[in-house]
Amino acid sequence: MIDVKNLKHQFRNPQGGYQEALKGVDLQIGQGEFVAIIGHNGSGKSTLAKHFNALLLPHHGSVTVNGIDTRESECLWQIRQKVGMVFQNPDNQLIATTVEEDVAFGPENLGIEPVKIRQLVDEALESVGMSTYKKRAPHLLSGGQKQRVAIAGVVAMRPQVLVLDEPTAMLDPLGRQEVMDTVVKLNREEGLTVVLITHFMEEAVLADRVVVMAEGLKVMEDSPRGIFSRVQQLKDLRLDVPPMMELRDTLAREGLDLPRDILTVEEMVVALCR
Amino acid sequence: MPIILENVAHLYQPGSSYEVKALQEINLVIKEGEFVGLIGHTGSGKSTLVQHLNGLLKPTKGKVIVDDCQISAKKVNLKEIRKKVGLVFQYPEHQLFEETVFEDIAFGPKNLGLPPEQIEKRVKKALEMVHLDYEKYQAASPFLLSGGEKRRVAIAGVLAMEPKYLILDEPTAGLDPRGRDEILEQIKELHQQGMTVVLVSHSMDDVARLTQRLVVMHRNTIVFDEETRKVFSHYESLQEMGLDIPTVTKLMFRLKGKGWLVRQDVLTVEEAKKEILQVLKEARNHA
Ligand SMILES: Nc1ncnc2c1ncn2[C@@H]1O[C@H](COP(=O)(O)OP(=O)(O)OP(=O)(O)O)[C@@H](O)[C@H]1O
Ligand SMILES: Nc1ncnc2c1ncn2[C@@H]1O[C@H](COP(=O)(O)OP(=O)(O)O)[C@@H](O)[C@H]1O
Ligand SMILES: [Mg+2]
Ligand SMILES: [Mg+2]
């Protein structure tokens, strides 16, 4: 689906030199997968993600989407249609005066005929659970609802990959839950490939695979259980472990015999009540 | 001297068909030296409330008093108030406007009329506090930074003012986990040195760890204002308001449901560990 080979990207810094934001990254993302990317601030996550739909182009190495090199400029719109992006701030992404107009914006830009657009918009709103809000004004929605409308705007373009760059950073717990439920559903039920960038470890746990970035390089890649059982290594990388994993670790140090990969409150209850 | 909000109400676009009632009947006293948490779901009025604390918004009704000065009055010197009350906005990108990181952080201290050496000192210290390397970042354009780096610069800009009251609206959104801990540690330290802090947060784990007192907003008014530990014992009401409780507190509620004799007002991993070991030890003694 997405194939990243030895990708490097640098930005000019004010001293006149260059800052390498990506220093040679290899990554494969398969059809239907759910991949989470975590890593410290400035590690290159957003820079990497912007290469997936040709918002940035490689300075070295390559990125291909379904075999198409993102540098082929005549394929730009095809790539942008296949790989949709959702960003952090819910307020900067919605522009129209009603929810449905907002969702229709993408398909309209692709030059799709009006009848078909109607259908795409309805289906997209249905898939994020926002159908009843279609005539509402976007700015009056809650943060979680705004993000779901933003996701619908991408889904309406029938992409194959949904890339989300910290979609829940600005949301309250309820809004975060709504958005994550939607993302998981789109992946599991509609087979959409998902790439999720996040600083919330409990969200990364939901993925099939977790990629850890540090200083412009991919430094770990494994299942969530594999990644989060490496408590010390994660802490060294400025990352965190879910609270239950941390509690497991301190209890284990007191001599309690608990499974290594406890992630949730439920799993902890089961382990303690054996 | 405290900050006092007396029966404050706020309407956006009053009188128009877009009128929004964002705050009603807010009575709140923030005493010097306190560390107060403010939680509530999106739209409950948190951001509107904190913008009243430095006069950015004026109440439609009621009074806001900062250190004896009624800042909701007509002719008040807001510049003096802003020196005292530093506010880190929810969306930091809205707070950055200068060409370089240095200029951006220096803006506040310059307005205080400090001499250049003092200003440089403050900028350096503020960047250090948010864990950004001075040499690497001072000349950078704030607009080209990563999300988390922008957030740090916005916080540094307010810290450089050395305010008496520090108000932070969701300061850790977008920070990596260690960055979140580092900045919260820094804020805790500033509090220990005497700064009064109000922290708006969606992270129950963070407010549980840091604050002594917690104010909960729901439907644009205050519904709980108590010791933090007590607030999380209202698990069911909080859930009804769409709010969570700290993960370890949730674990204690679940264990209690399974018949374990654990305290439910546990707030940190360390406290949870103690409780669990205690219960297991007693069970062993009985056996
Ligand atoms: N347009 C740009 N010009 C100059 N430097 C940039 C630009 N965009 C990013 N950078 C720099 O490149 C590095 C990587 O940035 P990136 O936005 O990819 O980080 P990130 O991992 O997404 O971080 P965060 O968790 O804070 O969002 C950072 O040091 C950042 O300052
Ligand atoms: N500039 C504004 N104009 C109109 N309504 C607003 C504005 N800012 C906030 N509101 C409304 O006021 C209420 C409280 O919002 P806010 O203070 O931002 O809540 P919170 O910070 O708790 O999410 C919400 O109904 C919101 O939609
Ligand atoms: Mg980023
Ligand atoms: Mg707010």
Side-chain angles (χ1 to χ4, degrees), chain B residues 46-47 90 169:
Chain B
K46 304 178 299 294
S47 296
Q90 182 164 12
D169 195 351

Side-chain angles (χ1 to χ4, degrees), chain A residues 147-163:
Chain A
Q147 283 301 60
R148 278 146 71 201
V149 173
I151 293 172
V154 171
V155 168
M157 293 167 72
R158 289 287 167 91
Q160 289 175 319
V161 187
L162 177 62
V163 181

Side-chain angles (χ1 to χ4, degrees), chain A residues 23-44:
Chain A
K23 301 176 180 167
V25 174
D26 289 286
L27 181 65
Q28 272 87 44
I29 293 164
Q31 175 95 42
E33 256 198 302
F34 178 176
V35 177
I37 303 179
I38 61 178
H40 65 79
N41 290 136
S43 59

Side-chain angles (χ1 to χ4, degrees), chain B residues 8-12 20-24 48 52 57-60:
Chain B
V8 166
H10 187 87
L11 299 176
Y12 286 105
V20 179
K21 194 183 276 174
L23 292 178
Q24 51 186 333
T48 307
H52 280 77
L57 289 177
K58 297 248 169 149
T60 315

